[in-house]
């Protein structure tokens, strides 16, 4: 409703009348509670973020560990194959040089049992002639490997080539012929089959 202003002598309308603004009083401690609530929420968010980052980091480390572990296992397997290939060539060389007229049948069989492919076929072809000559002359041969080294290995580690240097001594019982020393240089191809290494090809190196 309109009012009267004594100072001006004019009537005032309701919308022109001054409006008193009353301050809103908050309950004691409300502001502190809001600050505390915000402060409580912030650490929780940080903890969640840190936990998520840790999960990601652990996943990355796990993948890296698997890859590094796989590479180390492959390197160890390759090293083991290299050693096994050399050892197979060395054993074959010793078996070739170990011939005694009293045990020649077993000696020849050991050579056949440690070879395959071309090496076995060629030795088997001459086996009977070797037995006869060994018995006839009462020959006894022994030997020692002086050195052996890996020349190459297939990418799939199924085959390798090894050079072997060995000395052999042959004597003939019942004769005055002095023992004879022989120097042997072989290039051997070895093949991995059924989890083992076998000599598959033999060549003399001059």
């Amino acid at each position: 409703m309109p009012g009267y202003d004594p100072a001006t002598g004019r009537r005032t309308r309701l919308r022109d009348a001054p409006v008193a603004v009353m301050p809103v009083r908050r309950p004691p401690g409300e502001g502190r509670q809001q600050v505390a609530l915000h402060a409580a929420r912030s650490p929780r968010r940080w903890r969640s973020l840190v936990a998520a980052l840790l999960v990601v980091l652990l996943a990355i480390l796990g993948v890296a560990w698997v890859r590094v572990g796989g590479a180390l296992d492959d390197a160890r397997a390759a090293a083991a194959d290299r050693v096994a290939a050399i050892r197979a060539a060395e054993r074959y060389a010793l078996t070739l040089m170990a011939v005694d007229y009293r045990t020649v049948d077993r000696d020849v069989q050991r050579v056949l049992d440690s070879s395959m492919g071309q090496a076995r076929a060629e030795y088997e072809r001459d086996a009977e002639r070797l037995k006869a000559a060994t018995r006839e002359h009462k020959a006894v041969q022994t030997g020692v490997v002086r050195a052996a080294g890996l020349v190459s290995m297939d990418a799939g580690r199924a085959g390798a080539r090894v050079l072997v240097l060995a000395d052999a001594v042959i004597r003939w019982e019942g004769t005055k012929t002095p023992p004879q020393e022989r120097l042997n240089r072989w290039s051997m191809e070895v093949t991995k089959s059924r989890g083992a290494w076998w000599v598959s090809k033999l060549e003399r190196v001059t």
Side-chain angles (χ1 to χ4, degrees), residues 66-83:
V66 170
R67 290 182 177 178
V68 171
L72 290 175
D73 290 343
D74 189 65
R76 284 193 289 266
D81 278 334
R82 288 193 291 269
V83 172

Side-chain angles (χ1 to χ4, degrees), residues 10-184:
R10 297 172 57 187
R11 293 180 180 274
T12 61
R13 290 173 295 182
L14 182 61
R15 65 173 178 267
D16 296 330
V19 178
V21 179
M22 298 297 292
V24 178
R25 294 185 178 181
R26 298 180 181 273
E30 181 179 349
R32 290 193 297 272
Q33 291 176 356
Q34 292 179 348
V35 172
L37 181 61
H38 178 74
R41 289 175 178 174
S42 295
R44 284 199 295 269
R45 286 197 297 269
W46 277 107
R47 285 195 294 269
S48 298
L49 179 60
V50 170
L53 290 175
L54 286 176
V55 170
V56 173
L57 180 60
L58 288 174
I60 294 173
L61 290 176
V63 172
W65 178 256
V66 170
R67 290 182 177 178
V68 171
L72 290 175
D73 290 343
D74 189 65
R76 284 193 289 266
D81 278 334
R82 288 193 291 269
V83 172
I86 294 172
R87 295 292 179 267
E90 290 176 335
R91 287 194 301 270
Y92 188 75
L94 290 172
T95 305
L96 276 177
M97 293 183 293
V99 180
D100 189 315
Y101 72 96
R102 291 161 295 195
T103 59
V104 67
D105 288 331
R106 292 197 301 271
D107 299 337
V108 169
Q109 189 59 47
R110 279 196 298 268
V111 175
L112 294 174
D113 290 343
S114 56
S115 59
M116 63 182 299
Q118 181 178 335
R120 179 186 173 91
E122 290 179 353
Y123 191 85
E124 191 171 25
R125 182 187 61 201
D126 298 329
E128 293 305 320
R129 184 171 55 188
L130 172 64
K131 291 179 184 180
T134 301
R135 291 192 185 100
E136 179 183 354
H137 300 288
K138 294 184 178 180
V140 178
Q141 178 178 258
T142 57
V144 60
V145 173
R146 298 300 183 186
L150 186 71
V151 177
S152 62
M153 177 169 282
D154 296 346
R157 303 203 304 269
R161 190 160 68 92
V162 181
L163 288 180
V164 179
L165 178 65
D167 289 334
V169 176
I170 184 170
R171 58 186 176 83
W172 298 269
E173 287 191 358
T175 69
K176 296 182 180 180
T177 304
Q180 181 180 352
E181 294 184 1
R182 295 177 179 176
L183 176 62
N184 299 293

